[in-house]
Amino acid sequence: MSDPYLTITVFRDERVLARTLAERIASTVGENPRQVLGLATGRTPVRLYHELGALHARGRADFSHVTTFNLDEFWGLPPSDPGSYRTFMTEHLFRRTGIRPEQVNFLNGSAPDADAECARYDDAIAGAGGIDLQILGIGTNGHIGLNEPGRDLASRTHRVALKASTRRSNAALFGGDVDRVPKEALSMGMGSILRARRLVLIATGKSKAKCVERLVHGPITTKLPASFLQLHGAVEILLDEPAAQLGVRGLHG
Ligand code: GLP
């Protein structure tokens, strides 16, 4: 890969990818225990989160000084709802790693005023000194966080209407019932995401191959929000072989 700003690494499988990234995050946190981490939901980072939990359990990583910000949350759900992203993160990461609840930051899907909640979140990120390392997944339609493809993209944290395909891919959080998936969410904006000092996007499985190919080789367009990552100076894309199968080349992980 000749692009100095976009490093691509292709791993043999998603297990090796998750383990390698977990080791790297643990060593970054070892060097700078007060890291501010940006986190994503979705199936893709689950293995990574469990690996971080395993490192913590073996005493090989200390996350007690880390601050976290998640990308997004369903609008209309209280944090304690079993389908909320907050519940997902508690189950897969927070309770496994000793990350302190008072250092976890989340958009509140049941806040009285969406705009005020979004402004509060942007202020909280700025107040924490910005995000050092942002972990990202990618939707099959190229969304990042919940910035859906469209005619325009919001820069700051905002309220979004979810596409039918996004609601379908989130149905597992609601017992497989797509009708129970909220129609709206709050999401960090593309500007908020691009302000993170380092971005690491993970994509696995052949269903991601097309959007990954467009992200790497296509034009920057609001029709593929992930393409805006090309504007960032420090992006790493970590793939398994199926996600890289449409002509995306990278280093071997
Ligand atoms: C969800 C999340 C995104 C995530 C994406 C991919 O809707 N809000 O942050 O990157 O969809 O999900 P998955 O990893 O399950 O494919």
Side-chain angles (χ1 to χ4, degrees):
M1 184 68 205
S2 55
D3 189 330
Y5 302 118
L6 204 91
T7 314
I8 301 173
T9 308
V10 182
F11 292 84
R12 190 172 66 241
D13 59 47
E14 57 179 321
R15 213 165 29 105
V16 183
L17 187 166
R19 198 165 287 168
T20 307
L21 181 55
E23 298 271 1
R24 279 182 42 200
I25 292 173
S27 88
T28 303
V29 170
E31 284 158 25
N32 176 6
R34 299 190 185 281
Q35 282 281 302
V36 180
L37 300 179
L39 301 171
T41 53
R43 279 176 293 276
T44 313
V46 166
R47 234 179 242 275
L48 165 68
Y49 295 157
H50 293 185
E51 290 289 347
L52 290 171
L55 290 174
H56 170 73
R58 281 186 251 127
R60 292 195 41 222
D62 177 4
F63 299 103
S64 58
H65 297 289
V66 157
T67 297
T68 69
F69 285 88
N70 261 80
L71 283 167
D72 42 25
E73 180 59 284
F74 294 113
W75 179 240
L77 294 188
S80 59
D81 190 284
S84 73
Y85 282 160
R86 172 99 193 206
T87 299
F88 175 95
M89 290 301 299
T90 300
E91 154 71 16
H92 291 295
L93 184 70
F94 301 146
R95 73 176 179 80
R96 295 166 185 258
T97 46
I99 291 176
R100 299 227 293 264
E102 62 273 24
Q103 282 165 214
V104 167
N105 292 275
F106 236 95
L107 282 154
N108 179 358
S110 62
D113 176 334
D115 290 343
E117 175 60 7
C118 292
R120 178 196 69 78
Y121 207 62
D122 282 331
D123 289 349
I125 295 171
I131 291 172
D132 294 311
L133 173 63
Q134 174 69 56
I135 305 294
L136 296 169
I138 182 169
T140 48
N141 67 2
H143 74 225
I144 291 285
L146 284 168
N147 292 280
E148 296 280 37
R151 271 189 318 230
D152 46 37
L153 286 173
S155 174
R156 299 178 69 85
T157 301
H158 60 294
R159 185 172 174 172
V160 284
L162 300 177
K163 301 268 186 204
S165 61
T166 299
R167 292 182 65 224
R168 277 197 300 277
S169 65
N170 278 276
L173 295 171
F174 298 87
D177 182 356
V178 72
D179 294 332
R180 287 175 51 214
V181 181
K183 294 190 169 71
E184 291 181 296
L186 305 180
S187 176
M188 279 167 59
M190 283 313 294
S192 330
I193 293 167
L194 291 172
R195 270 191 288 277
R197 293 180 188 87
R198 286 166 58 208
L199 302 176
V200 176
L201 180 139
I202 334 172
T204 56
K206 68 175 193 289
S207 68
K208 300 292 172 73
K210 192 152 197 282
C211 58
V212 166
E213 192 278 332
R214 290 175 66 204
L215 153 61
V216 174
H217 296 302
I220 296 169
T221 166
T222 60
K223 292 181 191 144
L224 191 91
S227 63
F228 279 74
L229 301 190
Q230 293 178 28
L231 295 171
H232 194 280
V235 184
E236 284 181 73
I237 300 180
L238 307 185
L239 307 170
D240 66 357
E241 287 178 359
Q245 72 186 4
L246 292 181
V248 173
R249 291 183 194 287
L251 308 167
H252 292 287

